[in-house]
Amino acid sequence: MNKPNLIIRIHNYNKVSLGAIIGACPPALLGNFNLLTWISDEPTPLEALSSRSLIVYSFMLPHIPQVRAELEKLRQADVKAETIAGGSQATAAPESISELGFDYTASGECEDFFPQFLSEWLTGSAKKGIHQTARGQVDLDRYPGFSEITGYLPPIEISRGCKFGCMFCGVPKLYAGTLRHRSLAGIEAIIKEYFRLKPTRKRIKFLSSNAFAYGSDGRQPNLTALKELLEMLKAVGVPEINLGSFPSEVRPDFVTPEVMELVTPYLSNKTIVMGVQTGSNSMLKKMNRLHTREQSVNAISLLRAHGFQPHIDFIIGNPDETDEDQFELIDFMEEMLQKYQVRIHMHAFVPLPATPWENKLQSPINDKVKRRLRELEQAGVLDGWWENHIGYFRTAKG
Ligand code: SF4
C-alpha cells in the first residue's frame, strides 16, 4: 500500500516553527509517510495531492489573505488533501483559522501534540476541528528544535516564554506565564549537530525573549547560568557567539554593570537589540513594562560603554497614548541619538490577539511627530515598518 503524503508548506517566515514540529517527530513515525516539501512560490503539487495527503501549515496574522487564496485553489482543484495549521495565529485566535477551512487547527505549543496527532491521522482516528494543546508544558530538552527538511538551521531556542506581562505582547499568554530554559547539555548537543551538518558554520545565534535572562527566574539575571552558557559555547569552539542580537533581544533591567562585564568578552555581535518601547514613565506604566525611563537610559549608556551599538525598539500609537506622550517619545529618541548614537527600530502599535490590548485601538499619531520620525528615517538612524502598520489591523483581520 502506498504511503500517504505529508506535505510541509514552507515559507521563509515559518521555517523555525515547522522545523520545531517536524524535528519533534521520531524518524520511525515520519517513515510512515512520503515526506514532501512545497516551498514558497512553487506550483501546487497537484500530482501528489491526488492520493491521501496531509498538508502542514504554520503562519501569522499578516499571511491570512495569502493562505485563504491558496486553500480556495486547493478546494477548486478537488484534491484528496487534508490540512492542518499551527503557528502564532492558530495559537492566539484558533477560530480564525478554522473559519479559513482547515480540517485541523493546532492551538498552542505543538512539539508534544504533533507526533501524537500524526499517529492518529495515520489510523484515521484524528478528530477534526480545533486541538488546544497544553500550554507552558513543553520540555525544550526533549526536542531538537529543528529539522533538516526545512533546509535551515535556525537560531537555537535557549529559553521560551516570559514572566513579565507587557500589555502589547502575546508571549506571556501563549506560554501560560512560564519561562523555560533549554539545558546546557541540550544546547551543546544542537550546536554539535549544526557543526556536523555544516562544518563551515561560524556564527551561532539564539532565540529568546530576553537573552540575558538565560537560566534565571525571569525577573533578574542569573550570572552563574549566563557564565556557564558562555563558557560552554567557548569550550565547544563556537567561532562567533551572538547573544542579545536579533532574533533575541534584552530588557533594560537585565543590562546591569555585572551582566555587561560578564558577557562582553565572549560576544562577537557588535549590536545589542533592546526593547525600550517608550520614553515616558507614565506610558511605561500603562504598558506594564515594570522598568523606568531611567533604567532604559542607564542600559543604553552601559551598552555604549562596553562597545555595543544599541538598537532600540520603540512603539508609537499605543492605546491611551497622548500627544504629550508622543512628543516625550520623540524627544527621548533624539536625546538618545545625540548622546549615545543609538539606532532605532520603530513600530506602530498593532492590537495582536492573545494580548491584554487585543481589543484596543491604535492612538492617532501626531502629524508633527510623524514628520520628525520620517526625518530620522531619512537620516538613516531609524528603521522598521512603523508607517505600514498605521491602521494596519483594520484590514489584516478582514
Ligand atoms: S515584551 Fe518582552 S518582556 Fe514584555 S511580555 Fe513580551 S517578551 Fe516579556
Side-chain angles (χ1 to χ4, degrees), residues 3 49 120 151 158 174 184 201 239 242 245 254 259 265 282 297 308 317 347 359:
K3 292 178 184 179
L49 292 173
E120 289 169 6
I158 51 172
L174 300 185
L184 289 178
R201 188 178 178 114
N242 274 237
S245 61
F254 280 66
V259 167
S282 77
V297 175
F308 291 97
H347 305 260
N359 295 316

Side-chain angles (χ1 to χ4, degrees), residues 49 60 103 131 135 139 181 209-210 229 238 260 296 338:
L49 292 173
M60 293 167 264
D103 297 290
H131 293 255
R135 299 219 169 162
D139 174 357
H181 306 288
S209 59
N210 180 8
L229 171 68
V238 175
M260 291 317 297
S296 301
Q338 205 219 338

Side-chain angles (χ1 to χ4, degrees), residues 251-257 274 276 278-282 284-285 289-302 328 332 335-336 339-340:
R251 275 181 59 95
D253 43 352
F254 280 66
V255 179
T256 64
M274 184 164 69
V276 165
T278 188
S280 96
N281 274 328
S282 77
L284 282 168
K285 271 209 183 99
R289 283 288 293 172
L290 301 186
H291 66 80
T292 61
R293 170 192 165 113
E294 292 67 36
Q295 279 174 300
S296 301
V297 175
N298 283 342
I300 291 170
S301 134
L302 268 171
E328 208 172 324
F332 179 68
E335 188 188 331
M336 293 302 102
K339 281 193 182 155
Y340 302 109

Side-chain angles (χ1 to χ4, degrees), residues 51-202:
S51 55
R52 188 176 183 232
S53 303
L54 178 67
I55 315 178
V56 185
Y57 282 81
S58 174
F59 55 91
M60 293 167 264
L61 181 67
H63 311 120
I64 286 182
Q66 185 197 346
V67 171
R68 180 186 283 128
E70 195 165 297
L71 289 186
E72 188 49 41
K73 264 194 189 165
L74 287 173
R75 266 192 293 273
Q76 283 170 11
D78 197 21
V79 292
K80 282 190 190 169
E82 289 195 318
T83 49
I84 179 168
S88 68
Q89 181 64 16
T91 298
E95 291 77 15
S96 70
I97 299 300
S98 267
E99 282 162 12
L100 290 175
F102 280 94
D103 297 290
Y104 310 93
T105 301
S107 176
E109 295 173 71
C110 283
E111 287 95 338
D112 292 340
F113 162 81
F114 193 62
Q116 178 66 30
F117 168 82
L118 280 188
S119 303
E120 289 169 6
W121 188 84
L122 274 171
T123 60
S125 62
K127 283 203 190 82
K128 294 233 172 156
I130 296 172
H131 293 255
Q132 195 78 60
T133 70
R135 299 219 169 162
Q137 299 292 315
V138 168
D139 174 357
L140 296 183
D141 275 334
R142 288 189 58 206
Y143 305 108
F146 76 98
S147 161
E148 284 180 69
I149 193 162
T150 63
Y152 178 59
L153 301 179
I156 299 168
E157 188 179 23
I158 51 172
S159 308
R160 181 179 288 183
C162 180
K163 289 286 181 92
F164 289 90
C166 305
M167 303 300 275
F168 55 85
C169 177
V171 169
K173 187 163 175 196
L174 300 185
Y175 300 122
T178 60
L179 175 66
R180 285 157 280 151
H181 306 288
R182 200 182 288 276
S183 70
L184 289 178
I187 298 168
E188 185 175 343
I190 296 171
I191 291 172
K192 286 183 172 161
E193 188 59 8
Y194 278 15
F195 284 134
R196 187 186 71 75
L197 292 166
K198 198 173 175 204
T200 54
R201 188 178 178 114
K202 284 200 161 42

